[in-house]
Amino acid sequence: MKRFFIIILFTCAAGAASAQLGRPQPGGMQLRSQSGTELNYLNPQEYVIGGTTVSGIKFLDADILVQISKLVKGDRITVPGDATSNALKFLWAQGLFDDVQLKGNVKGDSIFFNIEVVERPRLTRMEFTGMKKGQVTDIKEKLADKTGKIVNESLMSMTTAVIKKYFNEKGFLFTEVKYRQKKDTTEANNVVLIVDVDTKSKTKIENITFEGNEDFKEKQLKKFMKKTKERSSINIFRSGKFLLDKYEEDKLALVAKMHDRGYRDAEIISDSVIKKPNERVDIHMKLYEGPKYYFGNLTWAGNAIYKTEALNEMLAIKPGDVFSEEKLQKRLNGNPNGEDISSLYLNNGYLTFNVDPVQTRVYGDTIDVELRIYEGPQYTINKVSLKGNDITNDKVVMREIRTKPGQKFSKELVVRTTREIAQLGNFDEQKTDVRPIPNPADGTVDIEYTVAEKPSDQIELSGGFGGGRIIGTLGLTFNNFSARNLFNLKEWKPLPKGDGQKLSIRGQTNGKSYQSYSFSFSEPWLGGKKPIYFGISAFTSLSSNDDIARYYGYRDDQRYRIRLNGITFSLGKRLKWPDDYFNLNHSVNLQQYKLTNYPGFLFSTGTSYNFNLTEELSRNSVDAPIYPTSGSHIRLTVQLTPPYSLFNNTNYQTATDKEKYRFTEYHKWKFEAQWYQRIVGKLVVKTQGQFGFLGQYNQSTGQSAFERFKLGGDGMQGFDFLQGSEIIAMRGYENNNVTPIGYDPQIARYSGSPIFSKYIVEMRYPLMNSQQATVFMLAFAEGGNTWNNFKDYNPFNVRRSAGVGARIFLPIFGLLGIDWGYGFDDVYDPSSNRLRQSGGQFHFSIAQQLSGGF
């Protein structure tokens, strides 16, 4: 039997494989006899495959490669022929090799093949250039399964697709990806793939155009797309960045807006994002508007509890109104104020209520709708449970829950309960969850509330410079205190917690010349059975120049001192009329002022007592404590002292200061109202109005020396203990700088004014709202002023300001704020003793918060 050694080289096969893979491939096939004589290609011979082996492999399976080549033992093939050329094609197509050689050994009518391969390297890791650290982390997570894979065109193509998709979603449509390889010296036949990423600039939208719109103007269609806007060189707030995910959202929003205006058949037939030079794109949409539709007859089916007339009145949609599925759904299920058909039933115990609007007939431009109702049974609350309160005691939360066993199920009370839990301030309102569990067998429902604790204790730690000295402040507020465990050392973590009480301690000093200390404690449920509020607070403060006087040897008449002591007892309760959002609070206050040669007051030496009764009526319906989006907070406060001048024998015209001001008398009225309203999306507007008036019973007594109002600045102090005045914030002006024009501004700055008004409009937009952080931006406009008497009072004659700001709430730091406001009107400048425009002012607010570990 003749033996032939055949080296098989098919140039055509190698060329075909190269074309398929996009790169030239080595290898080939050539037939020669063992003696060197070439076989005749025009006279191919048939052989039986005696066996096929594979050499050169390190990681791959030989049997699988033989199956891929289809050179299976026992098959009869023609050599040269398609079988051998296809074997090369099949192996090259796997993308696993840098070289493939096919050799054969002929023995009689059998041929034995050996496939010699050189494997491509495998991936050890990828290294990225041209990206930020966070971006690299994100991309590595998406490509984590590629380690150990063969480094070939398929791997690089897939990696490029992942990277481009990631950056396309972030607005980088022109991202380029290139590759380099370096040998891994620690692993045989392994490489490190270096991925060079050039994101280019963020893609900007040059033009947005529409085709097929007839009733909708192009400008109107562009407004429907809130997050996809053309770039503008005039409007600095409209950058025109292209974000793929926002674009997809806006396409849906565009169609939804068209549907909402009666064009129920409207759709986007096609859209194109056309790349242009300089990282710009044009967007072109082809629309189909279709006809405009109107509501026809609206009929009800299945309603037995409420009459059709009552349902029609609440639905508030009539035949002839523009057809809008969105409007219909809001009237049926989604009114944020609870004024919808679903709430009507759910508030009356019909937990499984459902309504299905069915379009029964379309004729011309009119659509008849049948509203098919399933009322279901009326459910009664069986059991109410609570989960997740690891620190706060059950009773603190359960007493705020308004869904009680035995009551009919009410969606309104469930929503109200979640609001009340958020108002406690101990839980993350974003994670408060309510789960009704119906028991159809007996018509009852169990309600499970789940909460998540968050840090609520606060610390104020600050330092400042004033009067040539450093002033330090330390304040601690524990918002979930437990007085009953005060002597139980096991509950000190570091202080006893869990009963929802509030304990606050604050101290401020710059040494001997100024000291101020305050303490307060409050219990929102006195006795634990009824929502009766009890509070007690006390303070003492001292200001003097004793240390300076001793240093410079001042005479006694050059020394001054003022000490203020005070204590307050409060008792309040929740009201049920006019509704249960109202609260009434009573306070008894006693303050003592002891002055010695103290400048700036209506009297400089003597002791004055301020004994008053305060009545406060308030209504609070805001939906969240940190970032409210709806509701209002209204408060009316009346503060009264006894009218001493009406029953004592003092002649105030001739009395000395010591006699005249020994007992302070006044009546003080304050009103404040805040409203929160969601405008569109997450944008919220806050409006606020404030008014204060300090009056007197008897003209001969003169205006009270205390309890006046100081307007301007950040308002962080809240109350000036030493001057006995309220500090009212007003951004865009310095502290206490909004004083009445025409009166002594120095006295007004120091002692305050008896009348003030202030108004605020504030637009808020959240950047983040979660347990980890709440961050929102704001823009504001304010107006306010002070007056010395009602004769000059004009609520429209105000000092004006406007500006921007930001707030961030972090559990570990509390609420931090910064505002920049510009005051447009003149104020008194004490340094130059003349009027000047206020100009721009920065205002900071700091209230740090202890972490949950303390």
Side-chain angles (χ1 to χ4, degrees), residues 436-585:
I437 307 171
N439 306 307
D442 59 3
T444 63
V445 57
D446 298 333
I447 302 179
E448 182 181 86
Y449 292 91
T450 303
V451 297
E453 299 268 7
K454 72 175 183 180
S456 59
D457 298 331
Q458 297 176 345
I459 180 171
E460 178 189 0
L461 180 62
S462 62
F465 189 81
R469 294 169 180 259
I470 295 176
I471 301 175
T473 302
L474 174 63
L476 299 173
T477 300
F478 301 94
N479 288 303
N480 197 6
F481 188 68
S482 176
R484 66 185 176 90
N485 289 315
L486 195 60
F487 300 103
N488 185 355
L489 297 182
K490 294 181 180 179
E491 297 296 327
W492 283 63
K493 303 174 183 178
L495 287 178
K497 295 183 177 183
D499 283 347
Q501 299 162 348
K502 183 175 181 179
L503 175 67
S504 180
I505 304 172
R506 187 176 187 269
Q508 188 176 55
T509 182
N510 68 354
K512 293 183 178 180
S513 63
Y514 173 72
Q515 298 177 35
S516 179
Y517 306 99
S518 63
F519 158 86
S520 68
F521 171 81
S522 63
E523 163 62 76
W525 283 66
L526 184 63
K529 295 183 178 180
K530 293 183 179 181
I532 298 176
Y533 171 88
F534 170 76
I536 180 173
S537 62
F539 66 88
T540 181
S541 60
L542 170 69
S543 179
S544 72
N545 67 344
D546 287 350
D547 53 347
I548 299 176
R550 281 194 299 268
Y551 183 81
Y552 288 103
Y554 286 178
R555 301 185 311 271
D556 287 346
D557 61 348
Q558 293 177 307
R559 296 169 179 258
Y560 66 80
R561 168 188 288 257
I562 180 173
R563 176 176 287 279
L564 175 60
N565 304 309
I567 187 168
T568 300
F569 296 92
S570 299
L571 198 65
K573 65 176 296 185
R574 298 179 186 176
L575 304 179
K576 295 183 179 180
W577 186 89
D579 61 35
D580 55 6
Y581 287 106
F582 277 88
N583 289 273
L584 181 62
N585 191 68

Side-chain angles (χ1 to χ4, degrees), residues 342-388:
S342 177
S343 296
L344 180 67
Y345 278 90
L346 290 174
N347 290 337
N348 197 21
Y350 294 92
L351 178 62
T352 56
F353 165 82
N354 185 45
V355 55
D356 182 23
V358 179
Q359 299 176 19
T360 57
R361 184 184 176 201
V362 180
Y363 49 100
D365 60 357
T366 304
I367 301 174
D368 288 346
V369 180
E370 183 178 68
L371 303 164
R372 298 174 181 174
I373 285 180
Y374 170 73
E375 293 177 332
Q378 194 176 38
Y379 281 81
T380 302
I381 299 173
N382 176 47
K383 183 174 66 174
V384 179
S385 58
L386 176 67
K387 293 171 55 180

Side-chain angles (χ1 to χ4, degrees), residues 657-779:
D657 288 350
K658 185 176 182 179
E659 297 174 326
K660 186 176 182 179
Y661 295 109
R662 182 168 180 79
F663 293 101
T664 299
E665 67 172 54
Y666 60 86
H667 53 93
K668 186 177 183 180
W669 305 75
K670 294 186 294 181
F671 176 78
E672 178 181 4
Q674 300 174 355
W675 292 272
Y676 299 90
Q677 179 65 50
R678 192 188 299 271
I679 301 301
V680 59
K682 298 179 180 180
L683 183 65
V684 173
V685 62
K686 169 192 173 184
T687 55
Q688 178 177 338
Q690 289 178 265
F691 169 79
F693 167 65
L694 181 67
Q696 55 201 53
Y697 302 111
N698 191 339
Q699 293 295 327
S700 64
T701 62
Q703 193 65 251
S704 170
F706 310 110
E707 298 294 339
R708 298 189 178 198
F709 305 103
K710 295 181 178 181
L711 184 60
D714 52 38
M716 287 181 62
Q717 191 172 352
F719 187 84
D720 187 340
F721 287 112
L722 294 180
Q723 275 72 50
S725 301
E726 286 194 47
I727 308 297
I728 311 297
M730 185 169 171
R731 293 164 289 190
Y733 295 89
E734 296 178 2
N735 289 345
N736 315 333
N737 219 23
V738 182
T739 59
I741 295 178
Y743 295 89
D744 188 334
Q746 285 283 26
I747 294 178
R749 278 173 53 86
Y750 200 74
S751 299
S753 302
I755 305 172
F756 90 94
S757 286
K758 194 183 82 165
Y759 320 99
I760 299 175
V761 176
E762 192 171 279
M763 305 295 291
R764 298 176 165 192
Y765 188 84
L767 304 179
M768 180 185 299
N769 195 5
S770 66
Q771 182 182 15
Q772 289 74 27
T774 298
V775 183
F776 61 90
M777 307 294 294
L778 58 90

Side-chain angles (χ1 to χ4, degrees), residues 47 114 136 183 322 370 379 409 490 513 517 586 610 615 636 641 660 694 730 797 801:
Y47 297 97
N114 180 53
V136 171
K183 188 173 180 58
V322 173
E370 183 178 68
Y379 281 81
F409 177 84
K490 294 181 180 179
S513 63
Y517 306 99
H586 320 276
N610 180 0
E615 297 291 319
L636 173 65
T641 66
K660 186 176 182 179
L694 181 67
M730 185 169 171
N797 178 20
S801 68

